[in-house]
Amino acid sequence: VQLQASGGGLVQAGDSLRLSCAASGLTGRSASMGWFRQALGKEREFVAVWRRGNNSPYYADSVKGRFTISRNNAANTVYLQMSSLKPEDTAKYYCAAAFGLIASAVTNQGQYAYWGQGTQVTVSS
């Protein structure tokens, strides 16, 4: 499985941005796909996931109401629409995929076996 993330960039506070993550090599399987981010000098943190099990999204509290994750199953692509961006959203964003994601552990990056290369999002104040 390979993941290719794109869509990052430099924006101003309050702007919107959409990230994309295209998956290949799934060979007919359907994975839960999500996003994590890592700011400079900080640990990687969970952002959002589209859960295959119940076909629904789940968000970190810090982005709830501002970010929307969606999925195009036919294209094996997941999107992260980010609105009302804040300087604290500045980070490298990584997409990730998991098979058999445990519902109680969706925020645990150890559950995700596959990772993309990351795309930088910088929000200026």
Side-chain angles (χ1 to χ4, degrees):
V1 176
Q2 292 187 327
L3 304 175
Q4 181 68 43
S6 61
L10 172 63
V11 297
Q12 293 186 332
D15 283 352
S16 299
L17 202 61
R18 190 177 83 154
L19 306 182
S20 300
C21 176
S24 59
L26 290 173
T27 60
R29 298 176 294 172
S30 183
S32 296
M33 293 179 66
W35 294 91
F36 288 74
R37 66 186 181 185
Q38 187 169 20
L40 200 61
K42 295 188 177 181
E43 293 186 354
R44 190 179 298 183
E45 64 176 5
F46 169 80
V47 176
V49 64
W50 188 273
R51 297 172 291 188
R52 176 190 176 277
N54 58 4
N55 202 32
S56 67
Y58 183 83
Y59 299 95
D61 287 343
S62 59
V63 306
K64 202 174 293 183
R66 299 189 299 122
F67 291 11
T68 301
I69 189 169
S70 59
R71 181 169 180 157
N72 181 331
N73 287 324
N76 286 325
T77 301
V78 67
Y79 305 95
L80 186 69
Q81 178 68 46
M82 304 183 293
S83 302
S84 301
L85 282 162
K86 305 175 182 179
E88 50 263 43
D89 294 317
T90 294
K92 195 162 190 178
Y93 284 70
Y94 297 88
C95 64
F99 295 102
L101 187 63
I102 299 172
S104 61
V106 297
T107 64
N108 183 346
Q109 55 186 300
Q111 293 289 317
Y112 298 79
Y114 305 97
W115 293 82
Q117 83 286 5
T119 184
Q120 180 68 36
V121 173
T122 303
V123 184
S124 64
S125 57

